Amino acid sequence: MGIFLLDFGAERYVEVKYGVCREDPERFITSTANNEAAVSAQTAPAAHTHTHDKKADDALEAQSVDSDFLERSYRQQLGAFVILEFGIIFHSVIIGLNLGSTGEEFPVLYPVLVFHQSFEGLGIGARMSAIPFRKGSWLPWVLCLLYGLTTPIAIAIGLGVRTTYNAGSYTANVVSGILDAISAGILIYTGLVELLARDFIFDPHRTRDNKRLAFMVISMLWGAGIMALLGKWA
């Protein structure tokens, strides 16, 4: 976190001091295509009709480039989100089993896990809302159901096997450890690469309002601190 804040602060300082502005890639592609069309129209000694057709063709080509860029961006965002969600799902399975099979720790474990799962849901919901799904796509509904149903189903399984399931057994520890390790690796990667790197440092659409940037950083640190604190009870 300290290295990230130094990197992010240094980058913002350079942006403000030297006027280094971020380019919107979509706008850059569109403007480049339009400039090329304008240059072609000025240098080509053709008839008016031919020039008009050339401009129309260039406009169509620019539109095609924009569509390709948006499609690639959509696939990248969707791929990153699927990785994030499946990491959370692995984690939710263990959480549900532990909650369903717990004993005296239930009064403490239940509110902690409700809080934990609620904010995870808000996190992946915010991430999902930024993905430009196609109109009428069934994929968002499936992804929402996967997250919403995983923990309740795991809790039901935990309740069903609570008399025979030994959370402290060797097999249970191995299975839980493997799933938790996979989940932890995915979530750490997502937090560092998809959140800190992509959303703060490499996002071309990032706000230039210092107050809003400070609020974003403080909110991120506050949320990470609270989620880490939950480990004291969960």
Side-chain angles (χ1 to χ4, degrees):
M1 285 296 184
I3 294 173
F4 158 71
L5 292 175
L6 286 174
D7 189 8
F8 183 62
E11 179 169 332
R12 182 59 187 156
Y13 173 78
V14 170
E15 288 178 355
V16 173
K17 184 173 179 61
Y18 298 102
V20 179
C21 298
R22 293 170 170 269
E23 288 289 344
D24 184 343
E26 184 178 349
R27 184 185 306 167
F28 174 77
I29 292 173
T30 304
S31 62
T32 301
N34 290 338
N35 289 337
E36 290 177 354
V39 171
S40 299
Q42 291 175 359
T43 56
H48 175 73
T49 304
H50 177 73
T51 303
H52 177 75
D53 292 341
K54 183 68 168 59
K55 287 182 178 180
D57 291 341
D58 289 335
L60 289 174
E61 182 179 354
Q63 183 178 0
S64 176
V65 171
D66 288 346
S67 300
D68 292 342
F69 173 80
L70 292 175
E71 178 66 21
R72 184 167 62 253
S73 176
Y74 163 74
R75 292 181 180 276
Q76 289 175 345
Q77 291 183 61
L78 182 60
F81 177 81
V82 169
I83 292 174
L84 170 64
E85 173 145 352
F86 276 95
I88 291 175
I89 284 176
F90 278 129
H91 186 52
S92 298
V93 170
I94 299 302
I95 284 177
L97 287 174
N98 289 339
L99 184 62
S101 59
T102 191
E104 297 178 355
E105 300 87 359
F106 182 85
V108 175
L109 190 60
Y110 177 73
V112 169
L113 295 187
V114 167
F115 180 86
H116 178 274
Q117 292 297 98
S118 297
F119 275 84
E120 275 192 346
L122 288 173
I124 66 171
R127 175 67 67 183
M128 182 185 291
S129 67
I131 301 176
F133 289 104
R134 298 177 182 86
K135 186 177 181 180
S137 174
W138 49 266
L139 193 55
W141 300 96
V142 172
L143 293 173
C144 287
L145 285 174
L146 282 175
Y147 175 75
L149 295 179
T150 298
T151 302
I153 291 174
I155 291 174
I157 295 173
L159 290 172
V161 301
R162 64 178 302 156
T163 56
T164 58
Y165 175 71
N166 181 10
S169 67
Y170 175 80
T171 302
N173 284 330
V174 169
V175 174
S176 175
I178 291 173
L179 291 179
D180 280 346
I182 294 173
S183 175
I186 291 174
L187 295 179
I188 289 173
Y189 172 84
T190 302
L192 295 177
V193 176
E194 299 296 334
L195 174 62
L196 297 185
R198 177 174 293 183
D199 288 355
F200 283 90
I201 297 178
F202 300 117
D203 183 9
H205 307 287
R206 193 190 69 212
T207 180
R208 296 171 189 166
D209 185 344
N210 286 331
K211 290 183 178 179
R212 189 173 181 183
L213 285 173
F215 175 76
M216 290 165 58
V217 171
I218 292 172
S219 298
M220 182 270 297
L221 294 174
W222 179 253
I226 291 177
M227 293 296 277
L229 180 63
L230 292 178
K232 177 178 175 63
W233 298 281

